[in-house]
């Protein structure tokens, strides 16, 4: 698994149109609930090196949101729970913010463990989404390289 901070491109589709988003622009993006409550900030994007697909994002719940004073943490959040919005400075998640706040802590010291397929599957399961399923609210898996992740999964 690779942490990507460069200019890799993530493919997304908003219902009928297709757009691309630079991974480097995702890092630092605010994340909000569907009710507009601030949850945190994307700190990293993890790519599965065996498939070239986005595995998940690393979200800091300690910046810009109500959790900052309460000692935020890093958590893994699959791309499948994000939905596009008209606000280009923020992303919205389709899960309750308490679900994210209650997620297991992501620890960079354990990155080798977090790169394994079973960990990635557990992240998706925790949020009630499937790595192989179409992603709701008009956002699809990443496309890096020749084949899309949808074709590889």
């Amino acid at each position: 698994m690779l942490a990507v901070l460069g200019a890799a491109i993530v493919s997304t589709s908003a219902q009928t149109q297709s757009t691309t988003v630079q991974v480097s622009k995702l890092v630092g993006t605010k994340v909000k609930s569907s009710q507009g409550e601030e949850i945190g900030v994307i700190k990293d994007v993890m790519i599965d090196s065996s498939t070239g697909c986005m595995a998940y994002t690393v979200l800091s719940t300690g910046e810009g949101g109500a959790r900052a004073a309460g000692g935020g943490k890093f958590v893994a959040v699959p791309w499948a729970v994000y939905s596009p919005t008209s606000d280009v400075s923020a992303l919205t998640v389709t899960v309750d913010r308490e679900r994210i706040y209650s997620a297991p802590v992501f620890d960079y010291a354990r990155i080798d463990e977090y790169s394994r397929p079973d960990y990635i599957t557990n992240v998706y399961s925790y949020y009630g989404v499937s790595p192989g399923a179409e992603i709701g609210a008009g956002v699809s898996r990443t496309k890096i390289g020749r084949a899309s992740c949808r074709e590889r999964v």
Side-chain angles (χ1 to χ4, degrees):
M1 173 130 7
L2 304 170
V4 177
L5 296 175
I9 296 182
V10 177
S11 173
T12 62
S13 66
Q15 296 183 9
T16 58
Q17 73 182 54
S18 179
T19 61
T20 57
V21 177
Q22 289 179 281
V23 171
S24 60
K25 300 221 188 245
L26 288 176
V27 174
T29 301
K30 290 181 184 178
V31 176
K32 297 181 179 184
S33 70
S34 57
Q35 293 78 33
E37 304 161 310
E38 288 191 26
I39 295 173
V41 175
I42 295 177
K43 287 297 183 185
D44 224 333
V45 177
M46 307 307 284
I47 304 294
D48 184 333
S49 62
S50 67
T51 64
C53 299
M54 182 188 294
Y56 52 88
T57 63
V58 177
L59 182 71
S60 172
T61 62
E63 291 189 28
R67 295 281 292 193
K73 62 182 182 179
F74 291 124
V75 296
V77 178
W79 187 243
V81 303
Y82 291 100
S83 74
T85 67
S86 58
D87 180 1
V88 295
S89 67
L91 290 170
T92 300
V93 290
T94 58
V95 296
D96 185 67
R97 91 175 162 169
E98 288 306 315
R99 186 80 176 149
I100 292 173
Y101 289 163
S102 299
V105 172
F106 180 90
D107 180 1
Y108 278 98
R110 300 175 67 190
I111 196 71
D112 289 339
E113 176 186 335
Y114 296 165
S115 299
R116 295 194 311 239
D118 59 327
Y119 176 80
I120 296 168
T121 298
N122 287 340
V123 168
Y124 279 77
S125 294
Y126 176 81
Y127 291 98
V129 294
S130 169
E134 272 306 307
I135 295 164
V139 180
S140 67
R141 279 181 299 279
T142 64
K143 182 178 180 180
I144 298 173
R146 291 183 231 192
S148 73
C149 294
R150 185 175 319 138
E151 295 163 350
R152 294 182 198 188
V153 176

